[in-house]
Amino acid sequence: MVIYLRSGGKLRDRLQPDVDQYTRRVEVEGTPTLREILTSMDIPHALVAFGFSQGTVRRLDYRPTEGEVVTLQPPVAGG
Amino acid sequence: MYGFGGTVLRINLETGQVRRSPTPESFAREWLGARGFVAKTIYDEVPRDADPLGPENLFIIAPGVLTGSFAPCGSKLGFGCISPLTNGHADSNMGGHLGPEIKYAGYDMIVFERISPKPVYLFVDDDTIELRPAEQYWGMGSLDLEARMKKDLGEDFQIATIGPAGENGVAFACITHDFGRQAGRCGVGAVMGSKRLKAIAVRGTKSLPVHDLPGLTKHTYDIIQRTKPHPNMEPWQKYGTALFVSWANEHGCFPSRNFQTTVHEGWEGISGEKLAEEVLVTHKACFGCWMNCGKYSRARIPGKPDTYLEGPEYETIALCGGSCGMTDIHHVAYANYLCDNLGLDTMSGGNITGFAMECYERGIITKKDLEGHELRWGNIDDFENFLRMIAARRGIGELFSHGTRAAARKLGQGTIAFAEQAKGMEFSGYDTRWYSAQLLSYCTADIGAHHNRSWAITADIELGQDTPVGKAPVVIYLQHIRPLFDTWCCCRLFWGELDVTPEEHVDAVRYLTGWDITIEECMRASEKIWNLTRAHYLERNGGPGRKHDVAPLRQLEEKIPNGPAEGKKVGTENFNYMLDDYYVNRGWDKDGNPTREVLELLGIGYAADNLEKRGLLGKPVPGGIPKVRGQKLKPKAM
Amino acid sequence: MRIKVDKSKCTGCKLCQQICTIEHYREINPKKAAIHIGAEFPVPGVFTPMLCVQCGACSRACPETAIERTGSADAFVIDASKCTNCGVCIETCPIGVMYSHADAPTPIKCDLCLKCTEVCNTGALTVVDSPRATSR
């Protein structure tokens, strides 16, 4: 199935967007977790704090559904 | 002059005299505002042996060049003085709406001198400047007083207040504004209180002079439209800084129980998601910010009245929450409210209370010391009793009111080994045993352990968490770029989270002022300020520098007992390696003293002269100093 | 058209106030904006954007006929060449959204330029179509 991952900043460079400036189209086999998808793309898990879709935080064991757009939120400098 | 209010105010609180003078453009260009204005003025004017809570300390408020300017989040206001926590330069800035208001009233810096014989507040209404009686307000909570003054003076006024902690000289007292934005760190509230200055009330109705308004408008308008769909926008708008709680626990840097470990049992109960679910009332923005990361909340605890507060931010969740053993977001929110209204920094306050809880756990302090109360992990009533003792400097509260380092030194019994602080100021919310660049950042920071100078957590991940190699140059770069935002005085989150570049911020300065200024010039100014405050610190505290750049023993040698970072510690050898590397890359000598070469290169040769007179000047570096001090992080090859 | 206000989404950022004065006065000065942000703190902790709803009461009250519905936005706009700054419109406004400033030559009201809706990032200020209200 196809899902879409979005990110900004340095994480975007690793994502290599191809749909628009933030978004990468990803084809996956089965229904992998976000963690498994990141591993397959060689993106270190530690650089992703969580996923975010439909206004909800998604932990890295979340399994995206067909066509879902998931933002990858990097760890941030809390204040 | 464009971009600035135009006037510097000097107020002698002893005599009531107010002196106005035009802001010199050369001063503005050289020091850029806020942190820069404060650093230079304190360096020039405060005697090196001045007591931070005495009449010779200055208390300075200064917006920066970008404050109030329609630049992204041009909201911030700098506060500075000599810190009662570190006896060095204090630089604490605050978001909200007061900074722009001061600029719109026409002022670029307000310098308070001496001590008022009676409590007063500063009233500013454009050109009207008055020191008004504040005896009727003395003793009031910070938030309570702001509500009262808004009613008395009008909603148009922006208000900043201290609470009882500042009045009583608690070394980590803060200044509160807009019902929950703080100048939190360094004890600036104590210095304000030492001068019997209870509050500041400002209304400004003038326009800000702008060199190229169409250019500036288009520049920022385009950035607004570009960043609206940024991937990080929605999570930030929804959760604010609290969204970091989960990552910190999952990656072993969240402080639990006075930094005893780095994954907090029950952290899910104090996460950003819990905040949004349980306590959130309104999303709240600083001036000119469309990311609105502020969270205004309501804490509901059975048996207590509902309390309203801005927060809790990540730092408060980490330090009042995790480090004090809490697992209920309502308790953390209530703890936040207590700190705000008493006028205490939630970060130092949480850190010190966690330290005291460990002392209680070990039997070093007892119920007798606590007026019959206990001080148990996670107990909000115990937390409240203790905090009130500190704010009043009552009983054992007096001991802890001087900060963790001072308390540990007085208590003895090995407590300094688990006092998480650097240079006397408490660690902010990151355990560093698996993040050595962050430990280096904390221990070399000019103001004590604060990550706003350098947040190097992802640098540790990119460069390898288990190695000390390559960390120092990156920390130095961060120590220049991050405090540059405290000098321009706008929020750094648009750069940090929304890909607005430093160059774009400089473009805003150019449109605003008409200066032909570059990012290189701004970074050099930031490095100059860094070295100036280092020199100042050494003059006040003696040398060599290395003796002050000290890490807590727990971070160096006590392995994390469990969780994702189990077994990790930085190690003294690794820390010393990083420190050696840091000094080389700074152009300082191996003892951590700035050299004449670097100070003259930065245009502050007079600082070298002053250090030399006291025998504190760094020895010349064989082969010369690095051409460039600091290196931007290069991500791991992909 | 009109500006729809959803106060539950307002965060008090005042971007709207800045762009309003830039647009109308070529200045950065939130105190001259045609939109004010009410703030009820500490309790209940809400913001309320307040701006003209184009009811026309000011137009009917103006002794100089200086306020007329005009332009593509169909908003009530003050004609500075006719306005004597007498302030009757300010007193008449039924919801208190006619503002004044010492440096402004006329009272200040929203003219539906819509710039505020372009910068607002929360949906607190949006543009909606509305049937034209009857003017005098």
Side-chain angles (χ1 to χ4, degrees), chain B residues 79 94-95 98 141-144 146 158-163 173-184 188-189 192 198-200 310 336-337 339-345:
Chain B
F79 290 76
M94 162 200 281
L98 179 57
S142 242
L143 302 171
D144 299 335
E146 182 165 358
Q158 296 300 330
I159 314 275
T161 61
I162 58 169
C174 67
I175 303 167
T176 296
H177 154 64
D178 197 29
F179 299 100
R181 286 283 159 192
Q182 273 79 26
V188 291
M192 187 166 159
K198 178 66 177 171
I200 297 155
E310 180 154 355
N336 195 147
Y337 161 79
C339 289
D340 286 0
N341 210 23
L342 288 168
L344 290 164
D345 177 20

Side-chain angles (χ1 to χ4, degrees), chain B residues 101 205 207 221 228 282 288 296, chain C residues 13 27 29 31 42 45 101 118:
Chain B
E101 202 74 25
T205 71
S207 296
Y221 184 91
K228 277 185 181 182
T282 309
Y296 196 70
Chain C
C13 78
E27 291 174 14
N29 188 346
K31 297 284 187 312
H101 187 285
E118 293 171 25

Side-chain angles (χ1 to χ4, degrees), chain C residues 6-128:
Chain C
D6 183 348
K7 66 184 249 185
S8 71
K9 296 185 174 159
C10 181
T11 64
C13 78
K14 300 180 186 167
L15 263 189
C16 52
Q17 291 189 316
Q18 289 190 79
I19 201 76
C20 180
T21 64
I22 289 171
E23 178 70 12
H24 294 94
Y25 295 100
R26 302 290 179 251
E27 291 174 14
I28 300 175
N29 188 346
K31 297 284 187 312
K32 277 171 134 170
I35 179 169
H36 278 208
I37 309 295
E40 294 165 72
F41 287 82
V43 183
V46 295
F47 295 101
T48 308
M50 298 182 291
L51 70 167
C52 176
V53 298
Q54 313 298 338
C55 72
C58 55
S59 173
R60 291 186 287 281
C62 177
E64 309 297 334
T65 62
I67 308 177
E68 294 291 331
R69 202 190 267 283
T70 184
S72 57
D74 238 18
F76 286 97
V77 174
I78 300 173
D79 182 344
S81 69
K82 291 182 176 175
C83 173
T84 60
N85 215 359
C86 69
V88 166
C89 54
I90 297 174
E91 287 163 19
T92 306
C93 177
I95 56 172
V97 292
M98 187 74 94
Y99 303 114
S100 66
H101 187 285
D103 291 347
T106 71
I108 303 167
K109 74 176 292 299
C110 175
D111 63 1
L112 288 180
C113 80
L114 304 181
K115 284 279 184 233
C116 56
T117 66
E118 293 171 25
V119 297
C120 181
N121 191 29
T122 63
L125 300 171
T126 52
V127 184
V128 296

